[in-house]
Amino acid sequence: MPLLVMKFGGTSVADLARIRNAAQKVKSEVERGYDVIVIVSAMSGKTNELVGWVNETSPMYDAREYDAVVSSGENVTAGLMALTLQEMDVPARSWQGWQVPIQTTSQHGAARFQDIPRANLDAKFAEGFRVAVIAGFQGVSAEGRITTLGRGGSDTTAVAFAAAFDAERCDIYTDVDGIYTTDPRITSKARKLDKISFEEMLELASLGAKVLQTRSVELAMRYKVRLRVLSSFDDTDELSGTLVCDEDEIMESKVVSGVAYSREEAKLTLVTVEDRPGIAAAIFGPLSEAGVNVDMIVQNISEQNYKGREKPVTDMTFSCPVEQVARARKALETARDAGTISYDALEIDEDAAKVSVVGIGMRSHAGVAARMFRALADEGVNIKVIATSEIKISVLIDRKYMELAVQALHDAFELDKAG
Amino acid sequence: MPLLVMKFGGTSVADLARIRNAAQKVKSEVERGYDVIVIVSAMSGKTNELVGWVNETSPMYDAREYDAVVSSGENVTAGLMALTLQEMDVPARSWQGWQVPIQTTSQHGAARFQDIPRANLDAKFAEGFRVAVIAGFQGVSAEGRITTLGRGGSDTTAVAFAAAFDAERCDIYTDVDGIYTTDPRITSKARKLDKISFEEMLELASLGAKVLQTRSVELAMRYKVRLRVLSSFDDTDELSGTLVCDEDEIMESKVVSGVAYSREEAKLTLVTVEDRPGIAAAIFGPLSEAGVNVDMIVQNISEQNYKGREKPVTDMTFSCPVEQVARARKALETARDAGTISYDALEIDEDAAKVSVVGIGMRSHAGVAARMFRALADEGVNIKVIATSEIKISVLIDRKYMELAVQALHDAFELDKAG
């Protein structure tokens, strides 16, 4: 029988009425002829309550005990979902991670999948069970301890099951009805996309469109799992939402698919750094160790004998989230004090935001960058830093222009128009 | 190293502060040189919340899913207790039922222990762990499903571990400070017992002294596990509470150790029942199947040709909880309609209460019954039914005299005086 994976997030199973609503959607798919693997999150708020207790008990907690405690929220939802389906005459049972067993590494709190053996679930499907309800976000280590995948891990659980069981599709039910060309709160012209490629979704996910966890998209791309993002509060029973799929499935893609943004960015510039092999490693190694997520990096053209110096020097600019600026400053000053790097000054601009245009069509279309810069210039928006990848162009600008820039780019690339 | 089992009930782990308080008691025992197995219940209220969700979802629930859901409360407490102990520098880890593994039968919701293999815990103790925190009330079936033991099952878990690990003692921390000669709410003369035998405790537990689950006392008696009942809110660090132990440990026991009662009893009399072999089975079989807990049974002397009948007849009287009267009546009427029993009338008295005196000293002392009946007669209390066992005499009386009877018996047997 064809198989579907359906994942319901915390708001979609927040109480018994919502669990029933979700179960109804599962039943519809069973009636269409699918066997279904359902992945559930904890009822919304439950995981936060458990995490709160752990943190209050033990600020430097043993991650193995953390996992044992916080994984219990998903176990409750899984059992309740199985019971709800049984009430609807759908043969179902729940599975906790260790029962499948979902084998993971022993990195507690951030475990990674190693194997999802099919035997146990396949045997139940063969017996006539139509639905396996799986507690998301968890697994079991080789040592027999409960592991968790980190927050948002239920998306990843869903994709991993879809890959392991050759699912026709993996439906991610959430509280938004799909992926938009940009944030509808910034422009009412934002339009829901019917389809988007894995690559584009990855860029959008990591850029702040918080609908899907980045890791789950990576995994879906690797195993070519077709992902559908849709709302659990939309009661039309037709296919809706946005399909995240291989670009081969997208016939006519636009040059740009979406405009993403990240509001709280900072720009840091190390002035007059010695320009020698290994200097980048000497700067960014300590930042990484300090937990600073460096994003864009620009190294100015180095000028031999700059200001009469004997050694070549350069300026090094990078961006990171504003909240990490203090940590970044400390890491750099420590490195300077230790003599591993030298610089004349550290300039910090905490009033930046990042705006990006994303689209696989860029690969075959020239002139996207020029069109982007023109649109920003027409609105009088100054660009501080530019960074590009194969399918993305990002700029750092003054934060106060962020909404304006998003709107201008959405118009310039005609994202309000389909096709 | 000598080993102790310590069990903390729901009120003793109701919040993080109480878990810390409990952990402090565990630490004290570790400092005294014990390895400790800690059994924890769910935080008070949590199990009721989970049971409520299951019942609302599915009134005729699948007991396997019920168990998967309701067992999660103990898992949370076990992890938090392990973290709390670690914060106090006590090497500890948590164990869920399947991790030990606590092997049980597959009777979900009322599972029974089959085996508690020592290997996993012993290995950890050998590594230097001093405390194993076990989620109470749960186990795992041969099919790999989570089972629960029924409400109050954590006491039984504690005793089972004490037996399996040859514990020196099993301490049951609860919200009362021990076993009393009778309910202190009925007479202020009630006195805490230092020691009580398993047999006496069993009679008291099943008679309504709700401190220890009956099954846990039976298990303790079978495996000679010394049980101590004490309060987790008593902060004196000395041995306190009541020791439940083999009678050999009790040097000079009084004839009567305690007075128990059960308030909501009903007396039912089947008038003019045919007196033939198998009649008792024909009456009490259907009652048992209907879930009626028949307690005392009295069959009157049968009179040949009673009221001119040809066959011998008798009256049959029994008691059961008031709440089960409707069920009892229906079962009896159904049996009469089916022709398996016959009776002239069913008399029901719903205004009864049961009062019992319990004591292993009775075995070697005559006159206990006479002293009991005299004390009740002196207060003008009429006795409806009498039942006796080797260490217990119970009477059914009018409910309105219950407190008076308990007080009179407590005085008559001088239970307010030690030794």
Side-chain angles (χ1 to χ4, degrees), chain A residues 16 54 56-58 61-62 65 68-69 72 76 79 82-84 86-87 93-94 96 98-99 144-146, chain B residues 16 54 56-58 61-62 65 68-69 72 76 79-80 82-84 86-87 93-94 96 98-99 144-146:
Chain A
L16 300 186
V54 169
E56 191 180 334
T57 298
S58 180
Y61 54 73
D62 177 345
E65 300 297 344
V69 171
S72 69
V76 170
L83 287 167
T84 307
Q86 290 175 357
E87 278 295 302
R93 74 156 273 197
S94 71
Q96 299 184 5
W98 61 272
Q99 291 177 314
R145 303 292 299 257
I146 293 168
Chain B
L16 300 186
V54 170
E56 192 181 333
T57 298
S58 180
Y61 54 74
D62 176 345
E65 299 297 345
V69 172
S72 70
V76 170
L80 293 175
L83 287 167
T84 307
Q86 290 174 358
E87 278 295 303
R93 75 155 272 197
S94 71
Q96 299 183 7
W98 60 273
Q99 291 176 315
R145 302 293 299 257
I146 294 168

Side-chain angles (χ1 to χ4, degrees), chain A residues 342-412:
Chain A
S342 69
Y343 54 85
D344 284 354
L346 172 59
E347 292 171 356
I348 298 176
D349 170 5
E350 301 198 18
D351 288 319
K354 183 172 66 169
V355 175
S356 310
V357 297
V358 173
I360 47 172
M362 272 184 220
R363 291 199 200 111
S364 48
H365 282 77
V368 175
R371 199 160 147 197
M372 179 180 190
F373 302 152
R374 168 74 45 84
L376 294 173
D378 286 349
E379 298 292 343
V381 177
N382 189 39
I383 297 171
K384 297 165 184 272
V385 178
I386 300 168
T388 61
S389 77
E390 209 183 8
I391 64 163
K392 177 188 70 172
I393 305 169
S394 299
V395 295
L396 214 59
I397 60 174
D398 271 339
R399 187 174 303 134
K400 64 183 175 188
Y401 294 128
M402 197 196 78
E403 284 82 357
L404 179 66
V406 170
Q407 290 156 0
L409 293 171
H410 201 269
D411 286 346

Side-chain angles (χ1 to χ4, degrees), chain B residues 26 67 77 88 130 147 152 167 212 243 260 317 320-321 345-346 354 407:
Chain B
V26 175
D67 283 357
T77 322
M88 295 176 177
R130 300 298 305 278
T147 56
L212 279 175
L243 187 70
T317 297
C320 74
L346 172 59
K354 182 171 66 168
Q407 291 157 0

Side-chain angles (χ1 to χ4, degrees), chain A residues 244-264:
Chain A
V244 188
C245 57
D246 198 83
E247 59 184 285
D248 296 346
E249 273 200 63
I250 302 170
M251 300 296 285
E252 290 272 11
S253 73
K254 302 184 79 163
V255 176
V256 166
S257 295
V259 181
Y261 66 87
S262 171
R263 189 182 301 269
E264 304 286 330

Side-chain angles (χ1 to χ4, degrees), chain B residues 244-258:
Chain B
V244 188
C245 56
D246 198 83
E247 59 183 284
D248 296 345
E249 272 199 63
I250 301 170
M251 299 298 283
E252 290 272 13
S253 73
K254 301 184 80 162
V255 176
V256 166
S257 295

